[in-house]
Amino acid sequence: MKPLIEIESVPIEMKIKVTHSRLEAVRGTADLEIHRDNGGLQIKSKPIQLRLDTFEARNSIRPASTGNAIKNYSQHGKNGAYEATAAYAQQGELMLKAKIGEDVMAQVAAEALRKDYKPNIGIDFLPKVGPEISWDPGQLEISYEMDKLSFDWRINKNQFEFIPGDIEISVTQQPEVIIKYIGGPLYVPPSSDPNYEPIDVQI
C-alpha cells in the first residue's frame, strides 16, 4: 500500500551582510579671509601768520597807555627845568658882568626872545616810528597712504575618521513544514469507488 501523505520540510533561509571597519582620511580644508584697510590722501595747510606791532607807532602819535603819558610828561618837565636853570644861570652871569650905565635888562630880554623864538611851519611826520612786522611762513603737508590688503589663512590639517564595522542579518525565508496528501480520493461508502474491490475475508 502506497503512503498517502508526503511531508516536506523547508529550512530557514538567512542572509548575512558584513561591513568591515575602516579608517578613512579626511582631506584638510583651507579658508581664506581678506581684509582691506582703506588708505587715503591727507592735505594739511597752515597759512602765513602775519604779526603787526603798532604800539610804538601809536605811541608816537598819542601815548598808548597812562604809564607812557606820565613818562612823557615827566621827561618834558625835566627838560623844562634844565632849560630854566640854564637860562637863569646865563642871566645871572650877564648881571655880574654888567657895567655902570649899561642896560642889562634889555640884553636879558633880547637873549630870552632869541632863544624862545623857534620857527614852526606845522609840518611833521606821523607816526614817527613804523610798525614792527614779523611773520611765520605757511606750511603745506601732503601725505598719501595706499590701501592695504591682509590675508588670513586658516588651514585644517588632514584628519582620520574611523568607521566601525557592521553586521546585517536578514531572514529571506521562514522555516515551514509542507504536508501533501498524495493518496487518491476517499469515497464514503467505499463501494462507491469505481475501482472498488471487495476484500475477501476468510474466517
Side-chain angles (χ1 to χ4, degrees):
M1 186 174 179
K2 295 181 180 179
L4 299 178
I5 297 175
E6 181 181 346
I7 300 175
E8 182 182 359
S9 177
V10 179
I12 187 172
E13 190 174 310
M14 303 175 66
K15 183 178 180 181
I16 299 176
K17 182 180 178 181
V18 179
T19 303
H20 298 284
S21 59
R22 64 185 184 275
L23 188 64
E24 293 184 355
V26 181
R27 183 174 298 177
T29 58
D31 297 331
L32 174 62
E33 293 185 1
I34 301 177
H35 302 279
R36 180 174 181 177
D37 297 331
N38 296 327
L41 176 65
Q42 295 182 354
I43 300 176
K44 296 181 180 179
S45 62
K46 182 180 179 181
I48 297 176
Q49 293 184 354
L50 180 63
R51 292 186 291 272
L52 295 175
D53 188 0
T54 60
F55 180 80
E56 295 297 335
R58 290 184 288 108
N59 193 42
S60 65
I61 299 174
R62 181 180 179 183
S65 64
T66 306
N68 287 341
I70 294 174
K71 183 179 179 181
N72 292 339
Y73 294 149
S74 62
Q75 187 64 36
H76 290 318
K78 288 181 180 180
N79 294 337
Y82 293 151
E83 293 176 358
T85 303
Y88 290 146
Q90 188 175 7
Q91 291 176 6
E93 184 180 0
L94 289 176
M95 290 181 181
L96 288 175
K97 293 181 179 179
K99 297 178 180 178
I100 298 174
E102 186 177 3
D103 190 1
V104 178
M105 296 305 296
Q107 294 180 4
V108 171
E111 185 67 21
L113 289 174
R114 183 180 64 81
K115 289 184 177 182
D116 291 339
Y117 176 72
K118 295 179 180 179
N120 186 4
I121 58 177
I123 297 176
D124 197 0
F125 293 97
L126 295 176
K128 297 180 180 180
V129 180
E132 294 183 5
I133 301 175
S134 61
W135 59 282
D136 293 333
Q139 295 179 356
L140 179 63
E141 296 181 2
I142 300 176
S143 61
Y144 174 73
E145 185 177 359
M146 298 180 61
D147 295 348
K148 295 180 181 179
L149 292 177
S150 58
F151 300 89
D152 186 9
W153 286 95
R154 297 180 180 177
I155 301 176
N156 297 323
K157 297 181 179 179
N158 292 337
Q159 298 179 355
F160 293 94
E161 182 180 0
F162 176 74
I163 301 176
D166 188 18
I167 298 177
E168 294 182 3
I169 300 175
S170 58
V171 178
T172 58
Q173 183 175 337
Q174 297 291 336
E176 61 181 342
V177 176
I178 301 174
I179 301 175
K180 294 181 180 180
Y181 177 76
I182 61 175
L186 297 177
Y187 293 95
V188 178
S191 59
S192 60
D193 185 1
N195 297 324
Y196 176 75
E197 293 181 357
I199 300 175
D200 293 338
V201 180
Q202 295 179 1
I203 300 176

